Structures are given as C-alpha cells and as structure tokens.
Amino acid sequence: MKRMIFKLPYLRFGRAVLVLTALAGLMSCGTSFSDTTKDSETECLKLMNWNLQTFFDSNFDGNEYTEFKNKKSGWSQEKYEIRLDRLASVVKKLDADVVIMEEIEKEEQIQDISNRLSGTFDFSKTYTHAIFSKDPDSSIGCAVLSRYPIEEISVHTMDIRYEQKQPSMRPILQCTVRLKEKSLVLFVNHWKSKSSGAEESEIWRKRQESLLSDLIFQAKKNGNAVIAAGDFNKDISEFDYREAKNSMANIVLHGTHDVEVYSPWILENGTYKLPGSYWYKENWERIDHFFTAGIAEVEDFSAENDGDWADSEGHPFRYQIWSGKGYSDHLPVTCTVRF
C-alpha cells in the first residue's frame, strides 16, 4: 500500500473585499440573553449559511459556467433580478444576523443583494457590513453579510507545487464579527467538490481540512469564540467522529494541530439530524456545516426546508435556467451561537 505523506502546504494570502452596503453608516447593537440564569455578558448571534447554486449576474464576462456563457443559454437580466428577489425573500424570512453565501460571482452583486434587503426602517434588521472573496482563477466566491461590524479580515489560500497539480480551490475567508465587547471568529469555507471523483478529490479536501484545523487551533489558543461555516462538500459521516465527552466537541479536524469541534448535525445518540442540506440520488447529504470551537456554543440548528425554496417533499428547489424556476440545490442551514 502506498503511503501518503501530507506536507504542510505553502500558504499565500489572497484578496478579500470589504463591501460598503447601502446603509454602511448604521450600526445595530448586540443581543443579550434576558434569561437571568445565563451570564448577563453572554452574546448570541443567529447565522445562516447557503450555497446559492451558481449565482451569476447578467453580464457575460467569459468566466461563467457553460450554462451561463451567453444569451443563447436563456440567462438574462430579468432572470437575475428574479433570483435577487427570491434570495432577499429567504434572507428576510430566516432573519439571521450573519448571512454566509457560497457561489456568488462578484463583489458588485453584494450591493445588489443589499439594495434588496435595505427597504426597512428597523435599523436592527439592516445588513450594514459585508465582505467578498474569490480566487482570481475561480468563477465563484464567498460572501458575508452582517448586521454587526466585521473586522480583522484575511484570506488563506493553499498553493501546493509538488506531486499532483493543484486544482482550482476556493480560499478560506477569515473575519471577526464584533458585538459590543464580544467577538466571534468566523471561517468561511467552500471545499473542493467531488465532481472529479470522490476518491480522487479527497486529497484536496483533506488539505483544506488541515488548513482549517490549524487556523482554528490558533484562534482557539487565543481564547476566541470560533465558528467555521460553509459548503464542505463532505458529509458529516466522513469526518472523524469522537463520542462527545461534553456538548462542546464531537468531531476532530486533522492538521498539523488536530482540533476538537462541535457539529450540530450529530444527535446525542450518535444519529444525524433530519433533513440534510443536499438531496442527492434519493438520499440526504449533510455537507453544509457549522463547526464551533473555543467558547462558542450552538443553541439551535436547522436545515431550513419550510419555505418556497423547498419543494412539496421538503427537498431543495433547484434553480433551472430554462424555466427560471427554483432557488438552489442546497437548503439554507441556520444556527444560533452563544459566546
């Protein structure tokens, strides 16, 4: 059997863009628990993560996926506007404080989304801060909308130049969400897909896991509340499960420094929460994750399938260009984090 040795990859910093939204001058306050049994200084945030399924704008720049390449595909400004409206309706209904999105084409779209969400006089509901990150060689990137200040932004990209040629991979976007005197370190992920083959591409997901593990280790060592979110293209059953000694950890992420994290997909009896976030070959997959570490704790968690973005059976209502119907092939997932 060939032994595989994972060397620490050479890392380079990528580019993240701080996006000024329509109401960037407005700031809302942190939310404290009213329950007197909890620490009065504890803060909580509701987070939403959603892979939007190839959310391109209506400009044909040449880097789009084949089905969005030109007007002959049926893609148009009108269809883009409709997708914007649908996205905004879901964000408003789920009402998260921080919205994490994968598969957005460019930073200008964040302004389009923010404009759709700005029609309210309730300033506590406005998303006043946003960031966007994309690798220069990639067609799509990741974005974060937040009702609270976003600070300490960095992008971590792998650049591996030995053995196998590295495919295009999205970087890990790191930022800090600030609430009053509390802060939450957030890592946004979109790992390598299995489209080239599950086994063949697993080596790259392992390397992305190694990078994330080392980043969480450093953030946790500094005493932070930490959460990693995104589309990991890896079912929760494929991670290294450890029977939880307490409610704070049930998964081990492997890297130069292994770290214990908590996944809300796993129930106390070791089974998995239903529904999953992705419906594939008549089975639920749980590939969209929240992993907490440090002093962060999950209060509740759900794969949201009660809305127009799910079909009558609760499966994701996949977007189709030819008909203009649908939302995404993933369900949005939400959780509330206390720290």
Side-chain angles (χ1 to χ4, degrees), residues 59-332:
N59 298 315
F60 302 111
D61 302 311
N63 66 327
E64 294 86 2
Y65 291 170
T66 302
E67 60 268 35
F68 289 87
K69 280 287 185 183
N70 51 55
K71 293 181 179 179
K72 293 180 180 179
S73 67
W75 185 237
S76 65
Q77 177 68 24
E78 180 183 4
K79 288 182 178 178
Y80 173 59
E81 297 280 346
I82 292 171
R83 287 199 82 181
L84 282 171
D85 290 338
R86 289 175 186 163
L87 170 58
S89 70
V90 178
V91 172
K92 289 177 180 179
K93 181 170 182 177
L94 296 183
D95 193 27
D97 300 304
V98 177
V99 179
I100 303 151
M101 297 169 286
E102 295 85 52
E103 299 205 8
I104 286 184
E105 182 187 10
K106 61 185 67 166
E107 63 195 72
E108 289 82 1
Q109 292 176 276
I110 309 306
Q111 190 67 63
D112 292 339
I113 296 168
S114 298
N115 289 339
R116 291 299 197 285
L117 296 170
S118 62
T120 176
F121 290 103
D122 184 352
F123 293 159
S124 68
K125 299 293 185 181
T126 59
Y127 295 94
T128 55
H129 297 77
I131 53 175
F132 173 83
S133 175
K134 184 174 79 170
D135 188 271
D137 297 328
S138 180
S139 298
I140 50 179
C142 299
V144 179
L145 296 176
S146 175
R147 291 170 175 163
Y148 302 97
I150 298 175
E151 304 172 351
E152 300 172 353
I153 304 164
S154 58
V155 177
H156 307 274
T157 301
M158 290 191 299
D159 190 358
I160 301 173
R161 304 182 185 183
Y162 62 91
E163 297 178 355
Q164 296 162 291
K165 183 180 178 180
Q166 177 180 311
S168 175
M169 293 193 295
R170 272 80 56 168
I172 296 176
L173 173 60
Q174 177 181 348
C175 65
T176 298
V177 181
R178 180 75 61 184
L179 284 80
K180 297 181 181 177
E181 301 303 316
K182 296 277 188 174
S183 61
L184 178 69
V185 178
L186 169 65
F187 296 101
V188 178
N189 298 259
H190 189 185
W191 287 9
K192 181 64 180 171
S193 76
K194 296 179 180 179
S195 59
S196 60
E199 293 183 6
E200 294 83 354
S201 57
E202 178 61 14
I203 184 174
W204 302 109
R205 285 186 294 279
K206 284 184 177 293
R207 285 172 172 157
Q208 288 173 301
E209 178 180 332
S210 177
L211 174 56
L212 177 61
S213 177
D214 293 344
L215 292 170
I216 291 177
F217 176 84
Q218 188 61 47
K220 184 179 176 182
K221 186 174 71 172
N222 294 335
N224 294 303
V226 181
I227 188 164
D231 175 5
F232 290 71
N233 277 304
K234 188 167 182 172
D235 189 82
I236 190 59
S237 63
E238 298 177 81
F239 287 90
D240 187 359
Y241 169 73
R242 300 287 175 87
E243 186 174 351
K245 298 176 183 178
N246 52 56
S247 61
M248 298 292 287
N250 52 17
I251 291 290
V252 176
L253 298 178
H254 295 289
T256 305
H257 301 284
D258 292 353
V259 294
E260 294 185 347
V261 296
Y262 173 75
S263 168
W265 279 120
I266 304 173
L267 302 176
E268 290 183 2
N269 61 2
T271 61
Y272 304 123
K273 188 177 178 66
L274 285 171
S277 61
Y278 188 69
W279 183 251
Y280 182 68
K281 293 184 177 180
E282 303 301 313
N283 286 295
W284 280 116
E285 293 189 357
R286 300 161 182 84
I287 60 177
D288 302 281
H289 299 288
F290 293 110
F291 293 119
T292 55
I295 61 172
E297 296 183 35
V298 175
E299 289 280 299
D300 57 58
F301 167 77
S302 180
E304 305 284 356
N305 69 343
D306 184 16
D308 294 337
W309 58 91
D311 64 21
S312 59
E313 297 181 335
H315 304 145
F317 188 5
R318 179 185 180 92
Y319 183 75
Q320 300 283 355
I321 296 178
W322 65 271
S323 67
K325 296 181 179 179
Y327 288 72
S328 171
D329 53 358
H330 291 243
L331 291 177

